[in-house]
Coordinates of all heavy atoms in Angstrom, one line a residue:
M260 N 0.2 -28.7 -7.0 CA 0.7 -27.6 -6.3 C 1.6 -26.8 -7.3 O 2.3 -27.5 -8.1 CB 1.4 -28.0 -5.1 CG 1.9 -26.8 -4.3 SD 2.9 -27.1 -2.8 CE 2.1 -28.4 -2.0
K261 N 1.7 -25.5 -7.1 CA 2.5 -24.7 -8.0 C 3.2 -23.7 -7.2 O 2.7 -23.2 -6.1 CB 1.5 -24.0 -9.0 CG 2.1 -23.2 -10.1 CD 1.0 -22.7 -11.0 CE 1.5 -21.4 -11.7 NZ 0.4 -20.9 -12.5
E262 N 4.4 -23.3 -7.5 CA 5.2 -22.3 -6.7 C 5.5 -21.1 -7.6 O 5.8 -21.3 -8.8 CB 6.5 -23.0 -6.3 CG 7.2 -22.3 -5.2 CD 8.4 -23.0 -4.7 OE1 8.2 -24.2 -4.2 OE2 9.5 -22.5 -4.9
E263 N 5.4 -20.0 -7.0 CA 5.8 -18.8 -7.7 C 6.5 -17.8 -6.8 O 6.1 -17.7 -5.6 CB 4.5 -18.1 -8.2 CG 4.7 -17.0 -9.2 CD 3.3 -16.6 -9.8 OE1 2.6 -17.4 -10.3 OE2 3.0 -15.4 -9.7
K264 N 7.5 -17.1 -7.2 CA 8.3 -16.2 -6.4 C 7.5 -14.9 -6.2 O 7.0 -14.4 -7.2 CB 9.6 -16.0 -7.0 CG 10.6 -15.3 -6.1 CD 12.0 -15.5 -6.6 CE 13.1 -14.8 -5.8 NZ 13.3 -15.3 -4.5
L265 N 7.5 -14.4 -5.0 CA 6.8 -13.1 -4.7 C 7.6 -12.0 -5.4 O 8.9 -12.0 -5.3 CB 6.7 -12.8 -3.2 CG 5.8 -13.7 -2.4 CD1 5.9 -13.5 -0.9 CD2 4.3 -13.4 -2.8
K266 N 6.9 -11.0 -5.9 CA 7.7 -9.9 -6.6 C 8.1 -8.9 -5.6 O 9.0 -8.1 -5.8 CB 6.8 -9.3 -7.6 CG 6.6 -10.3 -8.8 CD 5.6 -9.7 -9.9 CE 5.4 -10.7 -10.9 NZ 4.0 -10.8 -11.4
S267 N 7.3 -8.7 -4.5 CA 7.6 -7.7 -3.5 C 8.7 -8.2 -2.5 O 8.8 -9.3 -2.2 CB 6.3 -7.4 -2.7 OG 5.8 -8.5 -2.2
K268 N 9.5 -7.2 -2.0 CA 10.5 -7.5 -1.0 C 9.9 -7.6 0.4 O 10.4 -8.3 1.2 CB 11.6 -6.4 -1.1 CG 12.4 -6.4 -2.3 CD 13.5 -5.3 -2.2 CE 14.3 -5.2 -3.4 NZ 15.1 -3.9 -3.5
I269 N 8.9 -6.7 0.6 CA 8.3 -6.7 1.9 C 6.8 -6.9 1.8 O 6.1 -6.4 0.9 CB 8.5 -5.3 2.5 CG1 10.0 -5.1 2.8 CG2 7.7 -5.0 3.8 CD1 10.4 -3.7 3.2
Q270 N 6.3 -7.8 2.7 CA 4.9 -8.1 2.7 C 4.3 -7.7 4.1 O 4.9 -8.0 5.1 CB 4.6 -9.6 2.5 CG 5.1 -10.1 1.2 CD 6.6 -10.4 1.1 OE1 7.1 -10.9 2.1 NE2 7.2 -10.0 0.1
I271 N 3.2 -6.9 4.1 CA 2.6 -6.3 5.3 C 1.2 -6.8 5.4 O 0.4 -6.7 4.4 CB 2.7 -4.8 5.2 CG1 4.1 -4.2 5.1 CG2 1.9 -4.2 6.5 CD1 5.0 -4.6 6.2
F272 N 0.9 -7.4 6.5 CA -0.5 -8.0 6.7 C -1.1 -7.1 7.8 O -0.7 -7.2 9.0 CB -0.4 -9.4 7.1 CG 0.2 -10.3 6.0 CD1 1.5 -10.4 5.9 CD2 -0.7 -10.9 5.1 CE1 2.1 -11.2 4.9 CE2 -0.1 -11.7 4.1 CZ 1.2 -11.9 4.0
V273 N -2.2 -6.4 7.5 CA -2.9 -5.5 8.5 C -4.1 -6.2 8.8 O -5.0 -6.5 8.0 CB -3.2 -4.1 7.8 CG1 -3.9 -3.3 8.9 CG2 -2.0 -3.5 7.3
C274 N -4.3 -6.6 10.1 CA -5.5 -7.2 10.6 C -6.7 -6.3 10.4 O -6.7 -5.2 10.8 CB -5.4 -7.6 12.0 SG -7.0 -8.3 12.7
N275 N -7.7 -6.8 9.7 CA -9.0 -6.1 9.5 C -10.1 -6.9 10.1 O -11.3 -6.6 9.8 CB -9.2 -5.9 8.0 CG -8.5 -4.7 7.4 OD1 -9.1 -3.9 6.6 ND2 -7.3 -4.5 7.7
H276 N -9.8 -7.8 11.0 CA -10.9 -8.7 11.6 C -11.8 -7.9 12.4 O -11.4 -6.9 13.1 CB -10.2 -9.8 12.4 CG -11.2 -10.8 12.7 ND1 -11.6 -11.7 11.8 CD2 -11.7 -11.2 13.9 CE1 -12.5 -12.6 12.4 NE2 -12.5 -12.2 13.7
K277 N -13.1 -8.3 12.4 CA -14.1 -7.7 13.2 C -14.7 -8.8 14.1 O -15.1 -9.8 13.7 CB -15.2 -7.1 12.3 CG -16.3 -6.5 13.1 CD -17.4 -5.8 12.1 CE -18.6 -5.3 12.7 NZ -18.6 -4.9 14.1
R278 N -14.7 -8.4 15.4 CA -15.3 -9.3 16.4 C -16.6 -8.7 16.9 O -16.5 -7.5 17.2 CB -14.4 -9.6 17.5 CG -13.2 -10.4 17.2 CD -12.4 -10.9 18.4 NE -11.3 -11.7 18.0 CZ -11.4 -12.9 17.6 NH1 -12.5 -13.5 17.6 NH2 -10.3 -13.6 17.2
D279 N -17.6 -9.4 17.1 CA -18.8 -8.8 17.6 C -18.9 -8.8 19.1 O -19.5 -8.0 19.8 CB -20.1 -9.6 17.1 CG -20.2 -9.3 15.6 OD1 -19.9 -8.3 15.1 OD2 -20.7 -10.3 14.9
D280 N -18.1 -9.8 19.7 CA -18.2 -10.0 21.1 C -17.0 -9.4 21.9 O -17.1 -9.3 23.1 CB -18.2 -11.5 21.4 CG -17.0 -12.2 20.8 OD1 -16.4 -11.7 19.9 OD2 -16.7 -13.3 21.2
S281 N -16.0 -8.8 21.2 CA -14.9 -8.2 22.0 C -14.1 -7.3 21.1 O -14.4 -7.1 19.9 CB -14.0 -9.3 22.5 OG -13.5 -10.1 21.5
E282 N -13.1 -6.7 21.7 CA -12.3 -5.7 21.0 C -11.6 -6.3 19.7 O -11.2 -7.5 19.7 CB -11.2 -5.3 21.9 CG -10.5 -4.0 21.7 CD -9.5 -3.7 22.8 OE1 -9.7 -4.1 24.0 OE2 -8.6 -3.0 22.6
S283 N -11.5 -5.5 18.7 CA -10.9 -6.0 17.4 C -10.3 -4.9 16.6 O -10.7 -3.7 16.9 CB -11.9 -6.8 16.6 OG -13.0 -6.0 16.2
C284 N -9.5 -5.2 15.7 CA -8.8 -4.2 14.9 C -9.8 -3.4 14.0 O -9.5 -2.2 13.7 CB -7.7 -4.9 14.0 SG -6.5 -5.7 15.0
S285 N -10.8 -4.0 13.5 CA -11.7 -3.4 12.6 C -12.3 -2.1 13.2 O -12.3 -1.0 12.5 CB -12.8 -4.4 12.3 OG -13.8 -3.7 11.5
E286 N -12.7 -2.1 14.4 CA -13.3 -1.0 15.0 C -12.3 0.2 15.3 O -12.7 1.2 15.7 CB -14.1 -1.4 16.3 CG -13.1 -1.7 17.4 CD -13.7 -2.7 18.5 OE1 -14.6 -3.5 18.1 OE2 -13.3 -2.7 19.6
K287 N -11.0 -0.2 15.2 CA -10.0 0.9 15.5 C -9.5 1.5 14.2 O -8.5 2.2 14.3 CB -8.9 0.2 16.3 CG -9.3 -0.4 17.6 CD -8.2 -1.1 18.2 CE -8.7 -1.9 19.5 NZ -7.7 -2.8 20.0
G288 N -10.2 1.3 13.1 CA -9.8 2.0 11.9 C -8.9 1.2 11.0 O -8.2 1.8 10.2
A289 N -8.8 -0.1 11.1 CA -7.9 -0.9 10.3 C -8.1 -0.8 8.8 O -7.2 -0.7 8.1 CB -7.9 -2.4 10.8
K290 N -9.4 -0.7 8.5 CA -9.7 -0.7 7.0 C -9.2 0.6 6.4 O -8.6 0.6 5.4 CB -11.2 -0.8 6.8 CG -11.6 -0.8 5.3 CD -13.1 -0.7 5.0 CE -13.4 -0.7 3.6 NZ -12.6 0.2 2.7
E291 N -9.4 1.7 7.1 CA -9.0 3.0 6.6 C -7.5 3.0 6.5 O -6.9 3.5 5.5 CB -9.5 4.2 7.5 CG -11.0 4.3 7.5 CD -11.8 3.3 8.3 OE1 -11.1 2.5 9.0 OE2 -13.0 3.3 8.3
L292 N -6.8 2.6 7.5 CA -5.4 2.5 7.5 C -4.8 1.6 6.4 O -3.9 2.0 5.7 CB -4.8 2.0 8.9 CG -3.3 2.0 9.1 CD1 -2.7 3.3 8.9 CD2 -2.9 1.3 10.4
T293 N -5.4 0.5 6.2 CA -5.0 -0.5 5.1 C -5.2 0.2 3.8 O -4.3 0.1 2.9 CB -5.9 -1.8 5.2 OG1 -5.8 -2.3 6.5 CG2 -5.3 -2.8 4.2
D294 N -6.3 0.8 3.6 CA -6.6 1.5 2.3 C -5.5 2.6 2.0 O -5.0 2.7 0.9 CB -8.0 2.2 2.3 CG -9.1 1.1 2.2 OD1 -8.8 -0.1 2.0 OD2 -10.2 1.5 2.5
K295 N -5.2 3.3 3.0 CA -4.2 4.4 2.8 C -2.8 3.8 2.5 O -2.1 4.2 1.6 CB -4.0 5.3 4.1 CG -5.1 6.3 4.1 CD -5.3 7.1 5.4 CE -4.2 7.7 6.1 NZ -4.6 8.5 7.2
L296 N -2.4 2.7 3.2 CA -1.2 2.1 3.0 C -1.1 1.4 1.6 O -0.1 1.5 0.9 CB -0.9 1.0 4.1 CG -0.5 1.6 5.4 CD1 -0.5 0.5 6.5 CD2 0.9 2.3 5.4
K297 N -2.2 0.8 1.2 CA -2.3 0.1 -0.1 C -2.1 1.2 -1.2 O -1.3 0.9 -2.2 CB -3.6 -0.6 -0.3 CG -3.7 -2.0 0.3 CD -5.1 -2.4 0.1 CE -5.3 -3.9 0.2 NZ -4.7 -4.7 -0.9
K298 N -2.8 2.3 -1.1 CA -2.7 3.3 -2.0 C -1.2 3.9 -2.2 O -0.7 4.0 -3.2 CB -3.6 4.5 -1.7 CG -3.7 5.6 -2.7 CD -4.9 6.5 -2.2 CE -5.2 7.6 -3.2 NZ -4.2 8.5 -3.6
W299 N -0.6 4.2 -1.0 CA 0.7 4.6 -1.0 C 1.7 3.6 -1.6 O 2.5 4.0 -2.4 CB 1.1 4.9 0.5 CG 2.6 5.1 0.7 CD1 3.3 6.2 0.3 CD2 3.5 4.2 1.2 NE1 4.6 6.0 0.6 CE2 4.8 4.8 1.2 CE3 3.4 3.0 1.8 CZ2 5.9 4.2 1.7 CZ3 4.6 2.3 2.3 CH2 5.8 2.9 2.2
A300 N 1.6 2.4 -1.2 CA 2.5 1.3 -1.7 C 2.4 1.2 -3.2 O 3.4 1.0 -3.9 CB 2.2 0.0 -1.0
K301 N 1.2 1.2 -3.7 CA 0.9 1.0 -5.1 C 1.5 2.2 -5.9 O 2.1 2.0 -6.9 CB -0.6 0.9 -5.3 CG -0.9 0.5 -6.7 CD -2.4 0.3 -6.9 CE -2.7 -0.1 -8.3 NZ -4.2 -0.3 -8.5
E302 N 1.3 3.4 -5.3 CA 1.7 4.6 -6.1 C 3.2 4.9 -6.0 O 3.8 5.5 -6.9 CB 0.9 5.8 -5.6 CG -0.5 5.7 -6.0 CD -1.4 6.9 -5.5 OE1 -0.9 7.7 -4.7 OE2 -2.6 6.9 -5.8
E303 N 3.8 4.6 -4.8 CA 5.2 5.1 -4.6 C 6.2 4.0 -4.4 O 7.4 4.3 -4.3 CB 5.2 6.0 -3.4 CG 4.3 7.3 -3.6 CD 4.4 8.2 -2.5 OE1 5.4 8.3 -1.8 OE2 3.3 8.8 -2.2
C304 N 5.9 2.8 -4.3 CA 6.9 1.7 -4.0 C 7.2 0.7 -5.0 O 7.9 -0.2 -4.8 CB 6.4 1.0 -2.7 SG 6.2 2.1 -1.3
K305 N 6.7 1.0 -6.2 CA 7.1 0.2 -7.4 C 7.0 -1.3 -7.2 O 7.8 -2.1 -7.6 CB 8.5 0.5 -7.8 CG 8.8 2.0 -8.2 CD 10.2 2.3 -8.4 CE 10.5 3.7 -8.4 NZ 11.9 4.1 -8.1
G306 N 6.0 -1.7 -6.4 CA 5.8 -3.1 -6.2 C 6.7 -3.8 -5.2 O 6.6 -5.0 -5.0
E307 N 7.6 -3.0 -4.6 CA 8.5 -3.5 -3.6 C 7.9 -3.8 -2.3 O 8.4 -4.6 -1.5 CB 9.7 -2.6 -3.5 CG 10.5 -2.6 -4.7 CD 11.8 -1.8 -4.5 OE1 11.7 -0.6 -4.0 OE2 12.9 -2.3 -4.8
I308 N 6.8 -3.1 -1.9 CA 6.0 -3.4 -0.7 C 4.6 -3.8 -1.1 O 4.0 -3.1 -1.8 CB 6.0 -2.1 0.2 CG1 7.4 -1.8 0.6 CG2 5.2 -2.4 1.4 CD1 7.5 -0.5 1.5
K309 N 4.1 -4.9 -0.5 CA 2.8 -5.3 -0.8 C 2.0 -5.3 0.5 O 2.5 -5.9 1.5 CB 2.8 -6.7 -1.4 CG 1.5 -7.3 -1.8 CD 0.9 -6.7 -3.0 CE -0.4 -7.3 -3.3 NZ -1.3 -6.6 -4.2
I310 N 0.9 -4.7 0.5 CA 0.0 -4.5 1.7 C -1.2 -5.5 1.5 O -1.9 -5.4 0.5 CB -0.5 -3.1 1.9 CG1 0.6 -2.1 1.8 CG2 -1.3 -3.0 3.2 CD1 1.6 -2.0 2.9
Y311 N -1.4 -6.3 2.5 CA -2.5 -7.3 2.5 C -3.4 -7.0 3.7 O -3.0 -6.7 4.8 CB -2.0 -8.7 2.6 CG -1.1 -9.2 1.5 CD1 0.3 -9.1 1.6 CD2 -1.7 -9.7 0.3 CE1 1.1 -9.6 0.6 CE2 -0.8 -10.2 -0.7 CZ 0.5 -10.1 -0.5 OH 1.4 -10.5 -1.5
R312 N -4.7 -7.2 3.4 CA -5.7 -7.2 4.5 C -5.7 -8.6 5.1 O -5.7 -9.5 4.3 CB -7.1 -6.9 3.9 CG -8.0 -5.9 4.5 CD -9.2 -5.7 3.7 NE -9.1 -4.8 2.5 CZ -8.9 -3.5 2.7 NH1 -8.9 -3.0 3.8 NH2 -8.7 -2.8 1.6
S313 N -5.6 -8.7 6.4 CA -5.5 -10.1 6.9 C -6.7 -10.3 7.9 O -7.3 -9.4 8.4 CB -4.2 -10.3 7.6 OG -4.2 -10.0 9.0
G314 N -6.8 -11.5 8.3 CA -7.7 -12.0 9.4 C -7.0 -11.7 10.7 O -5.9 -11.1 10.8
C315 N -7.6 -12.3 11.7 CA -7.1 -12.0 13.1 C -5.7 -12.6 13.2 O -5.3 -13.7 12.8 CB -8.0 -12.8 14.1 SG -7.5 -12.6 15.8
L316 N -4.8 -11.7 13.9 CA -3.4 -12.1 14.1 C -3.2 -12.5 15.6 O -2.1 -12.7 16.0 CB -2.5 -11.0 13.8 CG -2.5 -10.5 12.3 CD1 -1.7 -9.2 12.1 CD2 -1.9 -11.6 11.4
G317 N -4.3 -12.7 16.3 CA -4.2 -13.2 17.7 C -3.8 -12.2 18.7 O -3.4 -12.5 19.8
K318 N -3.9 -10.9 18.4 CA -3.5 -9.8 19.3 C -4.6 -8.8 19.4 O -4.4 -7.6 19.4 CB -2.2 -9.1 18.8 CG -1.0 -10.0 18.8 CD -0.5 -10.3 20.2 CE 0.8 -11.1 20.2 NZ 1.2 -11.3 21.6
C319 N -5.9 -9.3 19.4 CA -7.0 -8.4 19.3 C -7.1 -7.2 20.3 O -7.4 -6.1 19.9 CB -8.3 -9.3 19.5 SG -8.2 -10.8 18.6
S320 N -6.7 -7.4 21.5 CA -6.8 -6.3 22.5 C -5.6 -5.3 22.3 O -5.6 -4.3 22.8 CB -6.8 -6.8 23.9 OG -5.6 -7.5 24.1
E321 N -4.7 -5.7 21.4 CA -3.5 -4.8 21.2 C -3.5 -4.3 19.7 O -2.5 -3.9 19.2 CB -2.2 -5.6 21.5 CG -2.1 -6.1 22.9 CD -0.9 -6.9 23.1 OE1 0.2 -6.4 23.2 OE2 -1.0 -8.2 23.0
G322 N -4.7 -4.3 19.1 CA -4.7 -3.9 17.7 C -4.8 -2.4 17.6 O -5.0 -1.7 18.6
I323 N -4.6 -1.9 16.5 CA -4.5 -2.6 15.2 C -3.1 -3.4 15.2 O -2.1 -2.8 15.5 CB -4.5 -1.5 14.1 CG1 -5.8 -0.7 14.1 CG2 -4.3 -2.2 12.7 CD1 -5.8 0.4 13.1
A324 N -3.2 -4.6 14.8 CA -2.0 -5.4 14.7 C -1.6 -5.6 13.2 O -2.4 -5.7 12.3 CB -2.3 -6.8 15.2
I325 N -0.3 -5.5 13.0 CA 0.3 -5.6 11.7 C 1.5 -6.5 11.7 O 2.4 -6.4 12.6 CB 0.8 -4.2 11.2 CG1 -0.4 -3.2 11.1 CG2 1.5 -4.3 9.9 CD1 0.0 -1.8 10.7
A326 N 1.5 -7.5 10.8 CA 2.6 -8.5 10.7 C 3.5 -8.1 9.5 O 2.9 -7.8 8.5 CB 2.1 -9.9 10.5
C327 N 4.8 -8.0 9.7 CA 5.7 -7.6 8.7 C 6.7 -8.7 8.4 O 7.3 -9.3 9.2 CB 6.6 -6.4 9.2 SG 5.6 -5.1 9.9
Y328 N 6.8 -9.0 7.1 CA 7.7 -10.0 6.6 C 8.6 -9.4 5.5 O 8.1 -8.6 4.8 CB 6.9 -11.2 6.0 CG 6.1 -12.0 7.0 CD1 4.8 -11.6 7.3 CD2 6.7 -13.0 7.7 CE1 4.1 -12.3 8.3 CE2 6.0 -13.7 8.7 CZ 4.7 -13.4 9.0 OH 4.0 -14.0 9.9
P329 N 9.8 -9.8 5.4 CA 10.4 -11.0 6.0 C 11.0 -10.7 7.4 O 11.6 -11.6 7.9 CB 11.6 -11.3 5.0 CG 11.9 -9.9 4.4 CD 10.6 -9.2 4.4
E330 N 10.8 -9.5 7.9 CA 11.3 -9.2 9.3 C 10.7 -10.1 10.4 O 11.3 -10.2 11.4 CB 11.1 -7.7 9.7 CG 11.9 -6.8 8.9 CD 11.1 -6.3 7.7 OE1 10.1 -6.9 7.3 OE2 11.6 -5.3 7.1
K331 N 9.6 -10.7 10.1 CA 8.9 -11.5 11.1 C 8.6 -10.7 12.4 O 8.9 -11.1 13.5 CB 9.7 -12.8 11.5 CG 9.8 -13.7 10.3 CD 10.2 -15.1 10.8 CE 11.6 -15.4 10.4 NZ 12.1 -16.7 10.9
K332 N 8.1 -9.5 12.1 CA 7.9 -8.5 13.3 C 6.4 -8.2 13.4 O 5.7 -8.1 12.3 CB 8.6 -7.3 12.9 CG 8.7 -6.3 14.0 CD 9.3 -4.9 13.6 CE 10.6 -4.9 12.9 NZ 11.1 -3.6 12.6
L333 N 5.9 -8.1 14.6 CA 4.5 -7.7 14.8 C 4.5 -6.2 15.3 O 5.2 -5.9 16.3 CB 3.8 -8.6 15.9 CG 3.1 -9.8 15.5 CD1 2.5 -10.5 16.7 CD2 2.0 -9.5 14.5
L334 N 3.7 -5.4 14.7 CA 3.5 -4.0 15.2 C 2.2 -4.0 15.9 O 1.2 -4.5 15.3 CB 3.6 -3.0 14.1 CG 4.8 -2.9 13.2 CD1 4.7 -2.0 12.1 CD2 6.0 -2.5 14.1
L335 N 2.1 -3.6 17.1 CA 0.9 -3.6 17.9 C 0.5 -2.2 18.4 O 1.3 -1.3 18.4 CB 1.1 -4.5 19.1 CG 1.4 -6.0 18.8 CD1 1.8 -6.7 20.0 CD2 0.3 -6.6 18.0
D336 N -0.8 -2.1 18.8 CA -1.3 -0.8 19.2 C -1.1 0.3 18.1 O -0.9 1.5 18.4 CB -0.7 -0.3 20.5 CG -1.2 -1.1 21.7 OD1 -2.4 -1.5 21.7 OD2 -0.4 -1.5 22.6
V337 N -1.2 -0.1 16.9 CA -1.0 0.9 15.8 C -2.3 1.7 15.7 O -3.4 1.1 15.8 CB -0.7 0.1 14.5 CG1 -0.6 1.1 13.3 CG2 0.5 -0.7 14.6
K338 N -2.1 3.0 15.6 CA -3.3 3.9 15.4 C -3.3 4.4 14.0 O -2.3 4.4 13.3 CB -3.1 5.1 16.4 CG -2.8 4.7 17.8 CD -4.0 4.2 18.5 CE -3.7 3.9 19.9 NZ -3.7 2.5 20.3
Q339 N -4.5 4.9 13.6 CA -4.6 5.5 12.2 C -3.6 6.6 12.1 O -3.0 6.9 11.0 CB -6.0 6.0 12.0 CG -7.0 4.9 11.6 CD -8.2 5.5 11.0 OE1 -8.2 6.2 10.1 NE2 -9.3 5.2 11.8
D340 N -3.4 7.4 13.2 CA -2.4 8.5 13.2 C -1.0 8.1 12.9 O -0.1 8.9 12.7 CB -2.5 9.2 14.5 CG -3.8 9.9 14.7 OD1 -4.6 10.0 13.7 OD2 -4.1 10.4 15.8
D341 N -0.7 6.8 13.1 CA 0.7 6.3 12.9 C 1.0 6.1 11.4 O 2.1 5.6 11.1 CB 0.9 5.0 13.6 CG 0.8 5.1 15.1 OD1 1.1 6.2 15.6 OD2 0.4 4.1 15.8
Y342 N 0.2 6.5 10.5 CA 0.3 6.3 9.1 C 1.7 6.8 8.6 O 2.4 6.1 7.9 CB -0.8 7.0 8.3 CG -0.7 7.0 6.9 CD1 -0.6 5.9 6.1 CD2 -0.5 8.3 6.2 CE1 -0.5 5.9 4.7 CE2 -0.4 8.3 4.8 CZ -0.3 7.2 4.1 OH -0.2 7.2 2.7
K343 N 2.0 8.0 8.9 CA 3.3 8.6 8.5 C 4.5 7.8 9.0 O 5.4 7.5 8.3 CB 3.4 10.1 8.9 CG 2.7 11.0 7.9 CD 3.1 12.4 8.2 CE 4.3 12.8 7.4 NZ 4.6 14.2 7.4
E344 N 4.4 7.5 10.3 CA 5.5 6.7 10.9 C 5.7 5.3 10.3 O 6.8 4.9 10.1 CB 5.2 6.6 12.5 CG 6.4 6.0 13.2 CD 6.1 5.9 14.7 OE1 5.2 6.6 15.2 OE2 6.9 5.2 15.4
L345 N 4.5 4.7 10.0 CA 4.6 3.4 9.3 C 5.3 3.5 8.0 O 6.1 2.7 7.6 CB 3.1 2.9 9.1 CG 2.5 2.2 10.2 CD1 1.0 2.0 9.9 CD2 3.2 0.8 10.5
K346 N 4.9 4.5 7.2 CA 5.6 4.7 5.9 C 7.1 4.8 6.1 O 7.9 4.2 5.4 CB 5.0 6.0 5.2 CG 3.7 5.8 4.7 CD 3.2 6.8 3.7 CE 3.6 8.2 4.0 NZ 3.1 9.2 3.1
D347 N 7.5 5.6 7.1 CA 9.0 5.8 7.3 C 9.6 4.4 7.7 O 10.7 4.1 7.3 CB 9.2 6.8 8.5 CG 8.8 8.2 8.0 OD1 8.8 8.4 6.8 OD2 8.6 9.0 8.9
I348 N 9.0 3.7 8.6 CA 9.5 2.4 9.0 C 9.6 1.4 7.7 O 10.6 0.8 7.5 CB 8.5 1.7 10.0 CG1 8.6 2.4 11.3 CG2 8.8 0.2 10.2 CD1 7.6 2.0 12.4
L349 N 8.6 1.5 6.9 CA 8.6 0.6 5.7 C 9.7 1.1 4.7 O 10.4 0.3 4.1 CB 7.3 0.6 5.0 CG 6.2 -0.1 5.9 CD1 4.8 0.0 5.2 CD2 6.5 -1.6 6.1
K350 N 9.8 2.4 4.5 CA 10.9 2.9 3.6 C 12.3 2.5 4.1 O 13.1 2.1 3.3 CB 10.8 4.4 3.5 CG 9.7 4.9 2.5 CD 9.8 6.3 2.2 CE 8.7 7.1 3.0 NZ 8.7 8.5 2.8
D351 N 12.5 2.6 5.5 CA 13.7 2.2 6.0 C 14.0 0.7 5.8 O 15.1 0.2 5.5 CB 13.8 2.5 7.6 CG 14.0 4.0 7.8 OD1 14.3 4.7 6.9 OD2 13.8 4.4 9.0
A352 N 12.9 -0.1 6.0 CA 13.1 -1.6 5.8 C 13.5 -1.9 4.4 O 14.2 -2.8 4.1 CB 11.7 -2.2 6.2
L353 N 13.0 -1.1 3.4 CA 13.3 -1.3 2.0 C 14.8 -1.1 1.8 O 15.4 -1.8 1.0 CB 12.5 -0.4 1.1 CG 11.3 -0.9 0.4 CD1 10.8 0.2 -0.5 CD2 11.5 -2.2 -0.2
K354 N 15.4 -0.1 2.5 CA 16.8 0.2 2.3 C 17.7 -0.9 2.9 O 18.8 -1.1 2.6 CB 17.1 1.5 3.1 CG 16.5 2.7 2.4 CD 16.8 3.9 3.2 CE 16.0 5.1 2.8 NZ 15.9 6.2 3.8
G355 N 17.1 -1.8 3.7 CA 17.8 -2.9 4.2 C 18.2 -2.7 5.6 O 19.0 -3.2 6.3
Ligands
FES40 S1 -8.9 -8.7 15.6 FE1 -6.9 -8.0 15.0 S2 -5.5 -9.3 16.0 FE2 -7.5 -10.2 16.4

């Protein structure tokens, strides 16, 4: 086993899971939202925020679901249109 310190201050996990039998984040535009957030974080956040595509976070009917660390917070019912608001939340979180 090996240990390494994360370079980012904030880690965001956006559920991109797809279910064939029931509601899931994928069909609600999770991929598009993740791509936009990844691009923004890479271009404007100097590595301080890292966006990850994740598997199911156990809140399928309330997706798009996003887990935020180190705040240990779940954002639910996120829509693609919430992109700007998400950026503001993340910028505020960076300030502490
Ligand atoms: S499919 Fe996104 S939380 Fe389960």
Side-chain angles (χ1 to χ4, degrees):
M260 187 184 313
K261 186 175 155 184
E262 191 177 302
E263 194 171 302
K264 193 162 175 67
L265 291 171
K266 292 178 184 137
S267 55
K268 289 182 185 166
I269 295 175
Q270 298 81 42
I271 302 298
F272 296 84
V273 184
C274 174
N275 275 227
H276 191 72
K277 178 177 174 26
R278 293 190 179 283
D279 294 328
D280 56 341
S281 62
E282 203 174 333
S283 62
C284 296
S285 172
E286 73 207 25
K287 298 174 188 171
K290 182 188 182 309
E291 294 78 6
L292 180 62
T293 309
D294 289 346
K295 279 167 52 175
L296 286 171
K297 276 176 156 295
K298 186 174 187 301
W299 167 73
K301 189 174 180 182
E302 290 175 356
E303 297 183 37
C304 299
K305 302 173 190 157
E307 292 186 307
I308 299 176
K309 180 75 179 164
I310 311 290
Y311 299 95
R312 227 175 279 288
S313 90
C315 181
L316 297 172
K318 295 286 186 181
C319 316
S320 64
E321 299 173 83
I323 301 169
I325 299 178
C327 309
Y328 293 90
E330 290 92 345
K331 294 197 254 178
K332 190 189 303 181
L333 267 181
L334 300 174
L335 301 171
D336 287 322
V337 178
K338 311 285 183 248
Q339 281 194 60
D340 294 347
D341 293 332
Y342 170 67
K343 276 190 92 171
E344 190 180 343
L345 274 170
K346 286 196 316 184
D347 291 342
I348 290 170
L349 295 173
K350 281 191 253 179
D351 285 348
L353 261 187
K354 290 177 196 163

